[in-house]
C-alpha cells in the first residue's frame, strides 16, 4: 500500500475535468480595454461591476461612508444638534452641507454606493446560482488517468475481482453521503456541496439585509411621548412630543393602536454599596389595537417593549409629576394639574415650570399670567442638602417654588419650551425681606403670594410619569433573518470543505487486482488525506491486500515509499 503527494501546477493541469474548480466563485479575468462601441464598453463595465474585487471595494466604501453618519450630527436624528454644530463651525458647516454629511444615509454618494453594491451582488449571484444548479444536476467527473498525481493518494493489491471492489467502494461512498457513480474502471464521488450553498446563502442574505436596511430607512418612523399616570395616547402624529420619519413615510402608515398609562412603578436598592441603584422600572398600560379593538392590560419594562404589528413601544425614561393647585386673589382655582418635571441626576432631582396662562387675576382683579419655577427633591436631605435629592424614591419629597407674574410670551407666536420660563416680561415676587420669593413645600402645604395675589398648593398626590419611544421599522424582521442567514451561510462556507474521491480497481498483468484511491479538495487541507485514509481502511477490510510472495521470488518494488493507509491491516 503506497501514498504519493504531488502539488505542482503542471500536474493539476493534467487532471482535466477531474481537477475542475470545486467552487462557483467567479474567476477574475485580466483587465483589457473593450473594443469601440457602446456595447463593448457596457460589457466591460458589467464585468468589472460584477467582479469579486469590485464587490469587496464597494462593501469597504459603504463601511467607510457610514463613519461620518456616526460622528457628525444627522438632521434626521437630531436637528437641534445639527443647528448647534452649524453655529459653532461657521466655516466647516457649509462644506459639510455640500458633501451631504448632515444627511449621510440619504445623500447621493451614499445611495450610489448602496445601489452599485446591490447590483454587483445580484450580478454575482445569478450566474453563480445557475452554475451550481448545473453541478447538482450533473455527476462527479470521471477519474483522471494518473491518480498518483493527486495530493492525497494510496494504493494496494488484492485478490478480489475488480467488479466487486468497485461495487464495495460505491456502496461505502454512498453510505458516507457522497454523491457517487461508476465511471468506467473507477468510481467517482463528491461531497461538501453545502459549502457552495453556504456561499450563496451568505450573498443572498446580504441582499436581504440591504433591502431591509433601505426599507427601514425610507419607511421608518420614530417618536417620543411623555405620559403622566392616567394619560392616554393614540398613535397619530398630533399626539407625539417629537417625531421623525423616513423620506417615503406617510402618516397613514402608522399602525392604529392606543394605550393608557395606568401606573408606573420604580424600585431602588435601599441599603448597601449599591444604594439608590434602580431595581425595576415598569409601566402598567391598557392598550387596544385598531379603532375598536379589545382593551388588554400589559406591563412594559426596560428592553421589553410592547409589540403591535411593525410598531414597538419602548419604556425609555421616567420622573415625577407633583400635583399643583393655583388659586387667585379671590380663592378661585385657576390651575390644577400634575406637572411633569425633568430629572437632573441619578437621584431624580428634577426641575420644570408651571405656566398659568388663562383665568388668573390678582388681588385688584387685573388679568395676569403666572410662571412658577419648580425644583423637586424626592428625598430631601435636610439643611445643607437643598440643591440635590439624597435618594431617587419618594421618601421625603420637597417642592421648591419660585413664582413670577406678568406676560409669559406665549401669545407672541414664537415657540417656547414647556420646561423653560422666559422672564423677559415677567416680574418676581418679593418676600418680607425684599428678596426673591422662594418657598420649600411638603405635600399638602401652600405658599401665599404677596399682597393677597393668591396661593400655590403642593397637593399630597405626587404622580409619576413615563417616557415612551414608539418605533416603526417595517424591515426589522427581514434584517434579523438576513443577519442570521448570513452568519449560518458564512459558517458553512468556512467550515465545510468540498472534495472529490476516486476509486479505481483494475486487474494487473500478474492477475492481481490493483486498487487506487485518490482525493482532491478545493484547497490544501489535512482533512482530505485523513478522510481518504479512513475510507481506504474500510474498503481494505472488504478487499484485503494480496499475500506477498517470498522475498527471493518477489518482483522489484516500485520506486516509492510504501506505507499502509489509515485503518488498513499490514
Amino acid at each position: 500500500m503506497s501514498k504519493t503527494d504531488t502539488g505542482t501546477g503542471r500536474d493539476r493541469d493534467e487532471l482535466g475535468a477531474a481537477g475542475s474548480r470545486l467552487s462557483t466563485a467567479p474567476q477574475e479575468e485580466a483587465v483589457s480595454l473593450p473594443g469601440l462601441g457602446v456595447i463593448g464598453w457596457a460589457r466591460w463595465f458589467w464585468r468589472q461591476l460584477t467582479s469579486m474585487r469590485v464587490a469587496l471595494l464597494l462593501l469597504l466604501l459603504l463601511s467607510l461612508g457610514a463613519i461620518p453618519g456616526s460622528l457628525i450630527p444627522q438632521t434626521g436624528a437630531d436637528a437641534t444638534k445639527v443647528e448647534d454644530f452649524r453655529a459653532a463651525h461657521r466655516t466647516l458647516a457649509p462644506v459639510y452641507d455640500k458633501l451631504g454629511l448632515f444627511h449621510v444615509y440619504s445623500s447621493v454618494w451614499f445611495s450610489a454606493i448602496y445601489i452599485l453594491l446591490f447590483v454587483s451582488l445580484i450580478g454575482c449571484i445569478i450566474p453563480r446560482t445557475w452554475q451550481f444548479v448545473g453541478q447538482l444536476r450533473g455527476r462527479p467527473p470521471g477519474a483522471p488517468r494518473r491518480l498518483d498525481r493527486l495530493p492525497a493518494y494510496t494504493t494496494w493489491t488484492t485478490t478480489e475481482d475488480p467488479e466487486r471492489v468497485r461495487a464495495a467502494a460505491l456502496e461505502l461512498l454512498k453510505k458516507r453521503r457522497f454523491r457517487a457513480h461508476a465511471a468506467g474502471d473507477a468510481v467517482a464521488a463528491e461531497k461538501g456541496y453545502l459549502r457552495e450553498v453556504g456561499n450563496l446563502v451568505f450573498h443572498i442574505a446580504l441582499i436581504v439585509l440591504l433591502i431591509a436596511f433601505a426599507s427601514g430607512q425610507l419607511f421608518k418612523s420614530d417618536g417620543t411621548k411623555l405620559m403622566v399616570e392616567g394619560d392616554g395616547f393614540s398613535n397619530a402624529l398630533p399626539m407625539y412630543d417629537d417625531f421623525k420619519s423616513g423620506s417615503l413615510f406617510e402618516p397613514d402608515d402608522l399602525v392604529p393602536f392606543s394605550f393608557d398609562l395606568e401606573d408606573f412603578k420604580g424600585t431602588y436598592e435601599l441599603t448597601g454599596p449599591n444604594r439608590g441603584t434602580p431595581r425595576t422600572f415598569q409601566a402598567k398600560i391598557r392598550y387596544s389595537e385598531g379603532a375598536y379593538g379589545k382593551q388588554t392590560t400589559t406591563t412594559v419594562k426596560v428592553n421589553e417593549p410592547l409589540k403591535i404589528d411593525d410598531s414597538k413601544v419602548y419604556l425609555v425614561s421616567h420622573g415625577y409629576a407633583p400635583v399643583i393647585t393655583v388659586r387667585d386673589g379671590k380663592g378661585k382655582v385657576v390651575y390644577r394639574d400634575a406637572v411633569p418635571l425633568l430629572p437632573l441626576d441619578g437621584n431624580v432631582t428634577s426641575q420644570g415650570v408651571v405656566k398659568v396662562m388663562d383665568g388668573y387675576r390678582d388681588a385688584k382683579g387685573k388679568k395676569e399670567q403666572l410662571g412658577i419655577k419648580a425644583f423637586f427633591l424626592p428625598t430631601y436631605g435636610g439643611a445643607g442638602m437643598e440643591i440635590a435629592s439624597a435618594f431617587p424614591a419618594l421618601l421625603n419629597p420637597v417642592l421648591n417654588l419660585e413664582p413670577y407674574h406678568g406676560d409669559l410670551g406665549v401669545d407672541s407666536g414664537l415657540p417656547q419650551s414647556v420646561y423653560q420660563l422666559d422672564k423677559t416680561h415677567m416680574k418676581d415676587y418679593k418676600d418680607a425681606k425684599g428678596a426673591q420669593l422662594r418657598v420649600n413645600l411638603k405635600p399638602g402645604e401652600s405658599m401665599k403670594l404677596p399682597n393677597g395675589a393668591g396661593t400655590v398648593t403642593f397637593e399630597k398626590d405626587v404622580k409619576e410619569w413615563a417616557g415612551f419611544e414608539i418605533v416603526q421599522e417595517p424591515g426589522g424582521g427581514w434584517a434579523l433573518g438576513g443577519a442570521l442567514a448570513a452568519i449560518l451561510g458564512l459558517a458553512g462556507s468556512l467550515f465545510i470543505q468540498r472534495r472529490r474521491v476516486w476509486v479505481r480497481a483494475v486487474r494487473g498483468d500478474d492477475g492481481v487486482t490493483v486498487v487506487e484511491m485518490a482525493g482532491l479538495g478545493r484547497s490544501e487541507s489535512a482533512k482530505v488525506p485523513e478522510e481518504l485514509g479512513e475510507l481506504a481502511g474500510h474498503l481494505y477490510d472488504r478487499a484485503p491486500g494480496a499475500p506477498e510472495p517470498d522475498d527471493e521470488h518477489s518482483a522489484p518494488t516500485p520506486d516509492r515509499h510504501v506505507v499502509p493507509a489509515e485503518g488498513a491491516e499490514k
Side-chain angles (χ1 to χ4, degrees):
M1 197 174 299
S2 62
K3 179 178 181 179
T4 303
D5 291 341
T6 62
T8 65
R10 179 179 59 81
D11 293 339
R12 287 297 183 92
D13 294 338
E14 293 178 359
L15 297 179
S20 61
R21 291 184 306 119
L22 294 172
S23 171
T24 58
Q27 288 180 322
E28 296 290 343
E29 299 178 355
V31 177
S32 60
L33 293 177
L36 297 177
V38 177
I39 297 179
W41 280 105
R43 289 178 177 174
W44 177 84
F45 178 78
W46 178 254
R47 284 196 300 268
Q48 300 308 311
L49 181 61
T50 56
S51 66
M52 185 64 66
R53 179 177 59 254
V54 173
L56 293 175
L57 178 61
L58 289 172
L59 191 60
L60 175 62
L61 290 177
L62 191 70
S63 302
L64 294 177
I67 294 177
S70 302
L71 301 179
I72 300 174
Q74 299 294 292
T75 304
D78 195 333
T80 303
K81 287 186 177 180
V82 173
E83 294 303 322
D84 293 341
F85 187 91
R86 293 181 193 273
H89 304 83
R90 298 290 185 180
T91 304
L92 197 57
V95 178
Y96 282 7
D97 275 325
K98 292 181 180 180
L99 296 177
L101 296 183
F102 289 125
H103 50 91
V104 169
Y105 303 113
S106 59
S107 63
V108 175
W109 58 269
F110 190 86
S111 300
I113 298 174
Y114 189 93
I115 294 173
L116 286 175
L117 178 60
F118 187 80
V119 174
S120 178
L121 287 174
I122 294 178
C124 289
I125 289 175
I126 293 178
R128 189 167 179 171
T129 302
W130 285 118
Q131 181 182 351
F132 182 59
V133 171
Q135 291 179 0
L136 290 178
R137 296 178 63 181
R139 289 185 170 187
R145 183 173 58 87
R146 295 286 302 275
L147 288 178
D148 57 352
R149 293 186 180 276
L150 293 177
Y153 172 79
T154 185
T155 183
W156 73 92
T157 58
T158 181
T159 56
E160 297 289 341
D161 292 334
E163 293 78 8
R164 294 190 60 182
V165 175
R166 290 194 292 268
L170 183 62
E171 179 184 355
L172 173 63
L173 291 171
K174 287 185 175 180
K175 185 177 181 181
R176 294 300 184 93
R177 297 188 300 277
F178 279 84
R179 292 178 66 237
H181 71 102
D185 60 358
V187 174
E190 190 168 358
K191 191 178 184 181
Y193 287 93
L194 286 179
R195 180 187 183 94
E196 300 306 319
V197 174
N199 281 327
L200 294 175
V201 168
F202 174 74
H203 286 83
I204 293 173
L206 288 182
I207 293 180
V208 173
L209 282 173
L210 289 175
I211 295 175
F213 177 78
S215 63
Q217 292 297 314
L218 295 174
F219 297 98
K220 73 173 183 178
S221 66
D222 189 347
T224 58
K225 179 64 177 178
L226 186 150
M227 299 176 62
V228 179
E229 291 173 328
D231 288 351
F233 171 81
S234 179
N235 196 23
L237 286 182
M239 297 294 294
Y240 284 93
D241 296 331
D242 180 46
F243 187 85
K244 53 182 179 288
S245 62
S247 56
L248 297 183
F249 172 82
E250 297 291 340
D252 293 338
D253 295 334
L254 288 173
V255 176
F257 68 89
S258 60
F259 66 90
D260 299 327
L261 176 60
E262 294 188 347
D263 179 63
F264 178 87
K265 182 179 180 181
T267 60
Y268 309 87
E269 292 287 348
L270 295 175
T271 58
N274 295 324
R275 184 176 185 272
T277 302
R279 295 183 60 184
T280 59
F281 285 146
Q282 58 187 37
K284 181 181 179 182
I285 66 173
R286 190 172 181 84
Y287 73 96
S288 62
E289 301 182 33
Y292 306 101
K294 181 181 178 181
Q295 288 193 331
T296 305
T297 300
T298 187
T299 300
V300 179
K301 301 179 181 179
V302 178
N303 297 326
E304 296 183 17
L306 169 66
K307 300 178 182 179
I308 303 176
D309 292 340
D310 289 334
S311 291
K312 294 181 180 180
V313 181
Y314 292 90
L315 176 63
V316 295
S317 58
H318 87 290
Y320 294 104
V323 178
I324 298 176
T325 301
V326 179
R327 293 177 173 84
D328 63 9
K330 296 182 178 181
K332 178 184 177 182
V333 175
V334 295
Y335 181 91
R336 180 184 176 86
D337 201 358
V339 182
L341 305 179
L342 300 183
L344 300 175
D345 55 29
N347 285 332
V348 202
T349 304
S350 309
Q351 71 174 4
V353 176
V354 181
K355 296 184 180 181
V356 182
M357 294 177 285
D358 299 308
Y360 173 78
R361 293 177 183 269
D362 61 11
K364 299 180 180 180
K366 179 184 177 181
K367 289 185 177 180
E368 278 190 316
Q369 294 178 333
L370 296 181
I372 307 172
K373 296 179 65 175
F375 194 75
F376 182 69
L377 282 67
T379 300
Y380 178 65
M385 297 187 63
E386 295 90 349
I387 61 173
S389 175
F391 195 77
L394 293 171
L395 301 183
N396 183 26
V398 168
L399 180 65
N400 179 273
L401 299 178
E402 182 180 316
Y404 295 84
H405 64 100
D407 184 5
L408 291 170
V410 295
D411 299 326
S412 63
L414 298 176
Q416 60 177 242
S417 172
V418 296
Y419 302 104
Q420 295 179 346
L421 179 63
D422 182 4
K423 297 186 292 184
T424 305
H425 304 287
M426 302 292 289
K427 297 180 180 179
D428 54 0
Y429 285 102
K430 304 293 184 180
D431 59 13
K433 298 180 181 180
Q436 167 66 49
L437 180 63
R438 294 174 62 97
V439 178
N440 286 342
L441 301 179
K442 292 187 175 182
E445 295 181 346
S446 298
M447 172 182 68
K448 291 184 178 181
L449 299 177
N451 304 320
T455 60
V456 181
T457 303
F458 175 23
E459 303 291 346
K460 294 183 179 180
D461 184 17
V462 178
K463 295 186 177 182
E464 297 189 56
W465 60 261
F468 296 95
E469 183 177 8
I470 298 91
V471 179
Q472 186 168 320
E473 292 181 326
W478 286 99
L480 177 60
L484 294 176
I487 294 173
L488 293 176
L490 184 61
S493 64
L494 291 177
F495 298 109
I496 299 176
Q497 184 179 22
R498 191 172 172 188
R499 61 269 192 201
R500 290 169 181 161
V501 172
W502 293 274
V503 181
R504 174 176 284 146
V506 295
R507 195 174 297 279
D509 296 337
D510 56 357
V512 179
T513 300
V514 178
V515 181
E516 292 182 290
M517 293 186 68
L520 177 65
R522 177 183 174 184
S523 58
E524 297 296 335
S525 171
K527 183 176 182 180
V528 175
E530 291 175 0
E531 186 175 37
L532 184 69
E534 183 180 356
L535 291 172
H538 288 287
L539 185 59
Y540 189 88
D541 292 339
R542 302 188 184 188
E548 297 182 3
D550 295 338
D551 292 342
E552 59 182 3
H553 301 294
S554 62
T557 58
D559 186 17
R560 62 179 66 176
H561 182 56
V562 180
V563 296
E566 282 189 39
E569 297 178 1
K570 293 184 180 179

